[in-house]
Amino acid sequence: MRIRKLFKLPLIIIFFVTILITGFVFSNFRTSAVEVTGIKFIGEATLPTGTNFKNTELGGLSGITYDGKNQLYYAISDDRSQKSPARFYTFNIDLNLDSFQSNSIKPIAVTTLKDRSGKTFPAGTIDPEGIALTNNSSIYVSSEGDALAGINPFIKEFSLNSGQEISSLTIPDKYLPSQDKKQGIRNNLAFESLAIAPDNKHLFTATENALIQDGEEAKPNQGSLSRILQYNLITKQVEKEFLYSTEKVKPFFKLNGKFSSGLTDLIALDNQGHFLSIERTFTGFGFVNSLFKVSLENADDIQNIESLKKVDLNTIKPVKKKLLLNLGTLEVALDNTEGLTMGATLPNGQPSLILVSDNNFNNLQRTQFLAFQLKIESRLERLLRLIRDRVS
């Protein structure tokens, strides 16, 4: 009997130590956090410039969002109500693991955006760029406005069915273009991106490049200091802002001096501040497009900083970025990629990712859809990784 008691004590200790370790790990283990561990290219589908759909020219697709309930995709056109009234398109996209072709893309509806009074937006008063779906049969749309004409950017909610404006988010003063051109967004470099967290509590947007008072716009071999804005969708107010530095890009050739680079879209992977972002650069001779994994963890809130030029940037923790894919490694000719969304779940259970390009209604370009399969870390894999990281 005494020998058995001697062996029971260590077993009890081991049991309780195991419970404590497991509890510690799980207390730091966010089961809803999403970690992308891989990406696989499925294919390309294109629509030619000049494609007509229901008496509108289908083009300028600058943002895209997925409706998992109805298995539909909504894409915003950045037509400034010049070719047709501002609008978004509804698509069926047929996805499988082996092929993705032009006949996989089928537009099925076009919806005109209307203001509070039920009128369409006059030409030049809107520059729709981002789109994000809520769980309440509505979408949010971001407009860059027109800094040169003194037209403010906006983020508005619209009915998914009627296109009627429902509500509007407050834009902080520091983003509004001033008359003396010393503050606010730069023209055509404002709110390109839009994303809503899965729990529908927060909306995120970002400036494509730095505000005038924050720093310079992107140039060859020089990035820019963008800001990510986090909105509370209950209060309709900005809660936090974060520093996001765009990548430095070296042009292929200096043929015409044209160069444009910046952050064009975000997609929220979870409710813990993990995203995918797309940065697009026109080098004057082709496009450089890159996907990044982004995390807001431990990033400083810069909401109360009116001008980044007036602070020491070394004291600010920016968002974390990690390259997921340089699209230049794909065997396709890239276009002006501006939108991305998580798409339908593939037959193997992994999620898809859809990217779309803005053809600028230019006959030398086309509307390009790129489809990918993402590999998401399972909860067990995440747990084992966290345990491994704790031990090492």
Side-chain angles (χ1 to χ4, degrees):
M1 291 291 292
R2 290 178 179 176
I3 295 175
R4 288 181 183 177
K5 288 181 179 179
L6 287 173
F7 279 101
K8 281 184 179 180
L9 185 58
L11 289 175
I12 291 173
I13 293 174
I14 291 172
F15 173 76
F16 279 107
V17 169
T18 302
I19 293 295
L20 287 172
I21 292 174
T22 303
F24 174 76
V25 170
F26 271 96
S27 68
N28 291 276
F29 177 52
R30 295 164 303 171
T31 56
S32 59
V34 173
E35 174 70 21
V36 176
T37 59
I39 185 169
K40 178 184 177 182
F41 183 50
I42 297 176
E44 171 198 30
T46 62
L47 299 176
T49 294
T51 296
N52 188 277
F53 180 75
K54 293 191 175 181
N55 298 317
T56 69
E57 184 175 345
L58 198 165
L61 303 187
S62 184
I64 188 168
T65 189
Y66 178 59
D67 181 348
K69 181 179 179 181
N70 297 302
Q71 297 183 330
L72 296 171
Y73 295 80
Y74 311 112
I76 189 76
S77 172
D78 69 358
D79 180 5
R80 301 187 181 193
S81 288
Q82 293 169 331
K83 291 180 176 292
S84 296
R87 59 203 179 277
F88 68 91
Y89 292 90
T90 303
F91 290 91
N92 271 324
I93 297 180
D94 185 23
L95 274 176
N96 60 59
L97 292 170
D98 303 317
S99 66
F100 185 61
Q101 304 170 34
S102 296
N103 59 11
S104 301
I105 307 292
K106 294 181 180 178
I108 59 173
V110 57
T111 305
T112 301
L113 299 179
K114 305 178 185 70
D115 64 19
R116 287 286 186 126
S117 63
K119 297 179 180 179
T120 59
F121 288 86
T125 63
I126 183 174
D127 182 11
E129 297 285 355
I131 184 171
L133 179 70
T134 76
N135 60 357
N136 196 33
S137 296
S138 67
I139 56 169
Y140 277 91
V141 171
S142 62
S143 169
E144 289 193 300
D146 189 332
L148 298 180
I151 298 174
N152 290 332
F154 69 65
I155 302 172
K156 295 181 182 293
E157 183 183 13
F158 297 88
S159 166
L160 187 60
N161 297 317
S162 68
Q164 177 86 27
E165 181 183 339
I166 299 172
S167 67
S168 184
L169 302 183
T170 301
I171 307 297
D173 288 343
K174 68 166 107 35
Y175 292 86
L176 304 180
S178 60
Q179 291 185 347
D180 60 9
K181 311 299 181 184
K182 293 182 179 180
Q183 175 185 293
I185 57 167
R186 286 184 161 87
N187 195 54
N188 208 32
L189 293 172
F191 300 144
E192 279 271 353
S193 55
L194 211 57
I196 293 178
D199 62 7
N200 271 258
K201 293 181 179 179
H202 293 100
L203 175 145
F204 299 85
T205 188
T207 57
E208 187 176 351
N209 268 203
L211 299 176
I212 292 174
Q213 69 270 26
D214 281 344
E216 296 185 82
E217 63 184 285
K219 299 177 181 178
N221 303 305
Q222 177 182 304
S224 190
L225 302 177
S226 298
R227 289 184 186 235
I228 294 178
L229 294 78
Q230 175 181 310
Y231 276 91
N232 183 311
L233 287 181
I234 302 300
T235 64
K236 309 290 187 182
Q237 301 292 324
V238 172
E239 281 186 336
K240 296 179 180 179
E241 296 176 19
F242 305 95
L243 177 61
Y244 179 109
S245 298
T246 67
E247 295 298 298
K248 301 176 183 179
V249 178
K250 182 179 180 180
F252 300 129
F253 302 100
K254 295 182 180 179
L255 293 179
N256 52 20
K258 293 183 179 180
F259 185 89
S260 176
S261 183
L263 170 61
T264 57
D265 210 357
L266 293 166
I267 181 71
L269 297 173
D270 55 33
N271 302 317
Q272 280 75 46
H274 298 111
F275 301 82
L276 294 182
S277 71
I278 182 77
E279 293 184 27
R280 179 269 295 123
T281 301
F282 177 62
T283 66
F285 187 76
F287 293 93
V288 174
N289 303 326
S290 298
L291 281 169
F292 294 90
K293 294 192 292 183
V294 177
S295 173
L296 303 184
E297 288 183 278
N298 301 317
D300 288 334
D301 180 4
I302 61 171
Q303 182 180 7
N304 294 326
I305 299 177
E306 294 296 316
S307 170
L308 292 174
K309 289 181 180 179
K310 296 181 179 180
V311 298
D312 182 359
L313 293 177
N314 293 320
T315 65
I316 299 176
K317 292 180 181 177
V319 303
K320 296 177 182 176
K321 288 173 57 183
K322 184 177 181 180
L323 180 67
L324 177 63
L325 179 67
N326 176 357
L327 273 64
T329 61
L330 306 177
E331 295 182 355
V332 297
L334 297 176
D335 211 286
N336 183 33
T337 307
E338 291 196 356
L340 79 161
T341 186
M342 297 285 280
T345 300
L346 295 165
N348 64 356
Q350 293 289 349
S352 62
L353 179 73
I354 302 293
L355 277 61
V356 69
S357 73
D358 173 5
N359 69 345
N360 294 309
F361 299 99
N362 185 334
N363 289 326
L364 298 178
Q365 296 178 247
R366 75 273 197 222
T367 298
Q368 181 184 56
F369 293 83
L370 301 174
F372 299 86
Q373 172 191 311
L374 293 178
K375 186 178 187 306
I376 302 296
E377 183 180 58
S378 69
R379 293 184 179 185
L380 177 59
E381 289 172 331
R382 184 173 179 80
L383 175 59
L384 293 175
R385 178 170 60 83
L386 287 174
I387 293 175
R388 185 175 64 249
D389 292 344
R390 294 285 183 186
V391 174
S392 60

